[in-house]
Amino acid sequence: MITCPHCKHPNMEGALFCEECGLSLWSDPDEQASTRKLDEDSNEFSVKSGWGTATFREQNEVIIHVRDADEPISIRPGVEFLIGRSDSSSGINPDLDLTPYGALEKGVSRIHAALRRGEDVLSIVDLDSANGTYLNGQRLAAHQPRLLRDGDEIRLGKLVMHIYFK
C-alpha cells in the first residue's frame, strides 16, 4: 500500500494518483501547484468576444474590402442585395458587380449570393452558385441564410472579401 502524503488515504501499490484527493503519488507534493481562489470582483478575466457585432440597422452601411483591391466598396443594402458578376450576353446585372475584381477568373457566378436585411441583422445566402459561398472558411448550404457579423470573411469561389458594418 502507498499512503498519500496529503490526505493519508491508503492506495493500492502502483497507483499513480490518490483515489481520495487526486494528488500525484510519484512527485514531491510541495512541487504540485494548487488552485488559488480568484477575487470574485476581479475584472481581470472578463470575457472579450472575438466576433464583431451582429446588429445591423436600416441606416447602417456595409463596407466591403475585396482582397488586393485599392479601395473598399460602400453599399447600403435593401431588403435583398444581389452579388455576382455582370454578363452582357444574358443581361444579368447584380446589385454588386464584382467583375472589376477578377470575378470571372475567380469563379464567381453571375448571381452568386445575396445579402438579406432582417430585423436588425444582415444575412448572406448562397444562391446555388457553381463554386460556393464561404463564411469564415465554412461553405454555406445553398438557400440557407447565415448571419453576418462585423469583420466576417466572405469568399465567393476564390474571391475573398471582408465585411464591416458602418
Side-chain angles (χ1 to χ4, degrees), residues 78-136:
V79 175
E80 183 168 86
F81 190 86
L82 298 176
I83 303 172
R85 61 180 172 81
S86 293
D87 181 37
S88 57
S89 63
S90 63
I92 293 176
N93 292 303
D95 298 314
L96 177 57
D97 179 14
L98 295 171
T99 303
Y101 304 96
L104 178 61
E105 298 81 14
K106 293 179 180 174
V108 176
S109 297
R110 290 177 207 113
I111 301 295
H112 196 106
L115 296 180
R116 292 186 180 155
R117 199 179 69 229
E119 195 166 318
D120 290 340
V121 294
L122 188 66
S123 299
I124 187 165
V125 182
D126 179 80
L127 298 177
D128 210 18
S129 63
N131 294 303
T133 301
Y134 297 79
L135 177 59
N136 299 319

Side-chain angles (χ1 to χ4, degrees), residues 1 8 11-12 31-32 37 52 63 67 71 79 87 97-98 100 104 129 133 154 166:
M1 294 298 261
K8 309 298 183 216
N11 293 280
M12 304 257 301
E31 292 177 8
Q32 295 186 35
K37 178 129 174 82
I63 308 298
R67 184 177 286 168
E71 295 292 321
V79 175
D87 181 37
D97 179 14
L98 295 171
L104 178 61
S129 63
T133 301
I154 298 170
K166 179 178 172 186

Side-chain angles (χ1 to χ4, degrees), residues 1 13 16 42 62-63 77-78 97-98 110 149 153:
M1 294 298 261
E13 197 66 42
L16 299 175
S42 174
V62 175
I63 308 298
D97 179 14
L98 295 171
R110 290 177 207 113
R149 294 179 178 273
E153 180 184 88

Side-chain angles (χ1 to χ4, degrees), residues 16-53:
L16 299 175
F17 298 93
C18 175
E19 295 172 343
E20 187 68 24
C21 70
L23 183 82
S24 172
L25 300 173
W26 293 95
S27 63
D28 184 356
D30 295 332
E31 292 177 8
Q32 295 186 35
S34 61
T35 304
R36 68 179 175 90
K37 178 129 174 82
L38 297 175
D39 179 12
E40 291 181 24
D41 296 333
S42 174
N43 200 20
E44 177 183 2
F45 302 102
S46 62
V47 176
K48 292 177 178 67
S49 173
W51 298 95
T53 183

